[in-house]
Amino acid sequence: MSASAAVLKAETKLFAREPGSLFWVLAFPSLLLLGFGLIPKYREIDEGLGGNRIIDFYVPSVVLVALVTASLLSLPGTLTGYRERGILRRMRTTPARLADLLIAQMALHAVAAILGGVLAIAVGRLVWGVALPEQPLAYGVTLLLATLAGLATGSVITALARTAKAAQAVGLAALFPAMFAAGIYVPIQVLPDVVRQIIALLPFGAAAQALNQAASGSWPAWSHLAVLVLWTVVPMVVAARWFRWE
């Protein structure tokens, strides 16, 4: 087995043993959607929303919750914890490259976030009768770009935070505006145009609006996809420049 494969196998086992990360990334989005659906008003057809229900618009937002928690809380907490405990420093004495660990962690969190999102879509369909995305290809492309942008943003926290507690504090501070931009607190469709334009410049805001467009059968606006690409490239450059292994 190559060093890269060995690192991925070991990190997969460790990730599977983290009940906190598994809950917040895999289970919490679906539980949140179940909770929203218990509100009677959210299940009523609203002519002001084009004959849709509020719960229909919440599914894309809840899909992003898995990504928000994975990229802003789980990933930075794990890697800064490794750095704080000297694990990254000790890896230099092994055949494994430190880059293997970073790639493995990002891959695991990306897969977990996508699985959490897919599970939320399934729950929305089976429990609340929410229609599946009418543009599945556009939905998948947007979700992939959003995953890259989210993990890139989380890598900046990992690079700049000196301790696991600092990473957790920064992640929590970023969590609430990210949730607002994703449309968790208030559905994006009922926000004023100016507010929607502002949050469309943020990664999770652009992702939420693009996912809603794909869900309704339209190809996402190229401006939203461009924002996601920008939020992938720039944070990765920053993280690569400032990341510390010790």
Side-chain angles (χ1 to χ4, degrees):
M1 182 182 298
S2 67
S4 300
V7 171
L8 179 60
K9 181 179 179 180
E11 290 304 311
T12 301
K13 290 181 178 179
L14 292 174
F15 187 78
R17 296 171 185 170
E18 288 290 337
S21 296
L22 293 176
F23 171 78
W24 289 108
V25 178
L26 293 176
F28 177 68
S30 295
L31 293 176
L32 184 62
L33 186 63
L34 288 173
F36 282 144
L38 293 175
I39 302 174
K41 183 176 177 58
Y42 285 10
R43 302 194 308 271
E44 297 174 357
I45 294 177
D46 190 336
E47 295 301 331
L49 295 175
N52 295 300
R53 304 170 300 169
I54 295 178
I55 192 66
D56 297 325
F57 292 121
Y58 260 121
V59 171
S61 298
V62 170
V63 166
L64 291 177
V65 170
L67 179 57
V68 170
T69 54
S71 57
L72 299 184
L73 296 180
S74 182
L75 176 66
T78 299
L79 290 177
T80 52
Y82 282 0
R83 181 198 294 138
E84 190 175 8
R85 298 196 301 271
I87 294 175
L88 300 184
R89 182 176 65 252
R90 292 195 293 272
M91 280 190 66
R92 290 183 173 178
T93 64
T94 71
R97 299 174 301 170
L98 294 176
D100 294 335
L101 176 63
L102 185 60
I103 293 173
Q105 280 293 326
M106 294 189 73
L108 287 172
H109 282 86
V111 171
I114 292 175
L115 287 177
V118 171
L119 181 60
I121 294 174
V123 168
R125 177 58 180 168
L126 296 175
V127 179
W128 304 127
V130 178
L132 295 175
E134 295 184 22
Q135 278 278 7
L137 177 60
Y139 204 95
V141 170
T142 301
L143 185 57
L144 178 60
L145 290 176
T147 301
L148 295 175
L151 292 175
T153 304
S155 69
V156 174
I157 300 176
T158 304
L160 299 181
R162 294 183 176 274
T163 64
K165 286 186 177 180
Q168 184 180 29
V170 175
L172 286 173
L175 178 70
F176 297 105
M179 290 286 201
F180 176 79
I184 292 298
Y185 303 139
V186 181
I188 296 174
Q189 288 75 13
V190 303
L191 292 174
D193 291 340
V194 175
V195 177
R196 287 204 302 268
Q197 292 172 4
I198 293 174
I199 64 175
L201 300 176
L202 303 175
F204 299 111
Q209 296 185 42
L211 287 177
N212 272 296
Q213 291 173 341
S216 63
S218 304
W219 187 267
W222 292 107
S223 59
H224 297 328
L225 301 181
V227 168
L228 293 176
V229 172
L230 188 64
W231 275 94
T232 299
V233 175
V234 175
M236 287 300 292
V237 171
V238 173
R241 171 66 179 82
W242 296 104
F243 190 85
R244 297 182 299 274
W245 297 108
E246 298 185 21

